[in-house]
Amino acid sequence: MTDASDVYSFDTEDGRLAYRDVGAGRPLVLLHGGFLDHGMWDDQIPVLAPDYRVIAPDARGHGGSSNASKPFRQADDLAALLRHLDVGPAVLVGLSMGGGIAVDTALEHPDLVSALVVSGVGTSEPAFQDPWVHEILAEQARALAAGNAEAWVEAFTRGAAGPHRTLDDVDQEVVRRVRVMTRRTVAKHTGTEPVHLVPVTDTWERAAKITVPVLAVNGSIDSDDHIGMAERLVRSVANGRATAVEGTAHYPNMERPDTFNEILGRFLRTTSARES
């Protein structure tokens, strides 16, 4: 569980950004998936903090961070936080939306990034073809049109199971955590509010310019789209490779944290040795 004593806030020109800041040493930034918050990394932070300075922010409009009232880019928010903390270059670890933010930051603020780890994502410009993904998106659209927030949350939570299982097949504590975080973020928003998020563009075309090491850690039974985009990213960059956590879907760090932590730890040790 999150210790409130290591949760801080950074005042920006448009509200505050909340973040955890634990440990000391080489900086390591954990970036959560869409509609979740830094709590999705609760199984990683205690393991990593003895050896690294672990920073886990809530993206704008998520968790404890303020909603946007004017245009913003998520990569710029992260860059502002890291510069405020005088941190960088850092290893950025991001799942889903968080992975997109990590890649965007490497493209827009390369001086702040020493390595990237992504999970279930390529860049912040996804393309979906999997019928299962389109089924969920349609379910979310119907719930949004009906003003049914709980139905939207349930459709979103199906991602924790992936296309090959039902939620009944997933550790129920993982399902509960995903629901709780998603409900908390959804409750911050309305279906009619303006979208202030400004996308970073041409990310796939620019990915070849990323020279830092990139590791994709996918859930082996995530959707073909999510796995495929991550594998496309590691093929696009100069120094990339992919691996998988067997038997997990979109949240491998939550379903099998020991395995995820072991894979991440090996990558961190390898990149640290190269930098030395």
Side-chain angles (χ1 to χ4, degrees):
M1 298 296 291
T2 298
D3 183 346
S5 67
D6 55 46
V7 178
Y8 305 91
S9 64
F10 165 49
D11 291 327
T12 74
E13 294 180 357
D14 191 21
R16 68 171 192 168
L17 298 178
Y19 63 97
R20 283 192 76 183
D21 190 351
V22 191
R26 186 185 184 200
L28 175 63
V29 182
L30 305 179
L31 302 166
H32 63 78
F35 294 93
L36 305 188
D37 57 48
H38 70 258
M40 70 162 287
W41 300 110
D42 280 354
D43 293 318
Q44 282 68 54
I45 292 175
V47 175
L48 297 166
D51 299 306
Y52 302 93
R53 181 178 181 182
V54 182
I55 299 163
D58 287 345
R60 189 176 296 277
H62 295 68
S65 290
S66 298
N67 290 0
S69 65
K70 60 183 182 180
F72 76 102
R73 299 195 310 177
Q74 292 171 318
D76 295 340
D77 273 351
L78 178 59
L81 173 61
L82 296 182
R83 291 188 172 116
H84 167 73
L85 296 174
D86 195 22
V87 167
V91 179
L92 307 187
V93 180
L95 185 144
S96 199
M97 179 191 79
I101 296 171
V103 172
D104 284 351
T105 305
L107 293 172
E108 297 293 310
H109 306 278
D111 58 304
L112 295 175
V113 181
S114 63
L116 294 171
V117 179
V118 301
S119 181
V121 68
T123 77
S124 59
E125 297 180 291
F128 295 115
Q129 300 176 341
D130 190 320
W132 176 81
V133 175
H134 282 286
E135 177 186 322
I136 289 180
L137 293 174
E139 193 175 332
Q140 290 174 316
R142 289 192 296 270
L144 183 63
N148 189 336
E150 189 58 26
W152 194 99
V153 169
E154 283 306 300
F156 178 86
T157 304
R158 287 179 59 194
H164 308 292
R165 301 180 298 179
T166 70
L167 289 174
D168 289 339
D169 300 319
V170 182
D171 183 328
Q172 292 304 292
E173 178 59 15
V174 171
V175 175
R176 185 196 68 79
R177 289 172 62 197
V178 171
R179 282 193 181 116
V180 167
M181 287 184 277
T182 305
R183 284 181 184 130
R184 186 160 51 227
T185 291
V186 167
K188 294 165 63 72
H189 299 276
T190 67
T192 58
E193 69 185 43
V195 177
H196 293 296
L197 177 64
V198 176
V200 174
T201 58
D202 301 322
T203 54
W204 285 109
E205 292 80 3
R206 297 164 62 199
K209 297 179 181 179
I210 296 174
T211 58
V212 298
V214 180
L215 173 67
V217 186
N218 297 312
S220 69
I221 53 174
D222 201 355
S223 78
D224 290 342
D225 285 340
H226 290 105
I227 294 171
M229 286 185 286
E231 292 182 343
R232 178 184 172 188
L233 175 67
V234 299
R235 290 194 304 268
S236 301
V237 300
N239 182 9
R241 65 181 182 88
T243 188
V245 179
E246 293 300 319
T248 68
H250 202 51
Y251 303 107
N253 70 302
M254 297 175 70
E255 285 202 76
R256 294 188 62 190
D258 290 348
T259 301
F260 185 93
N261 294 347
E262 181 182 350
I263 293 169
L264 177 58
R266 285 199 303 267
F267 178 75
L268 293 172
R269 290 189 294 274
T270 299
T271 56
S272 179
R274 287 176 179 170
E275 290 174 12
S276 299

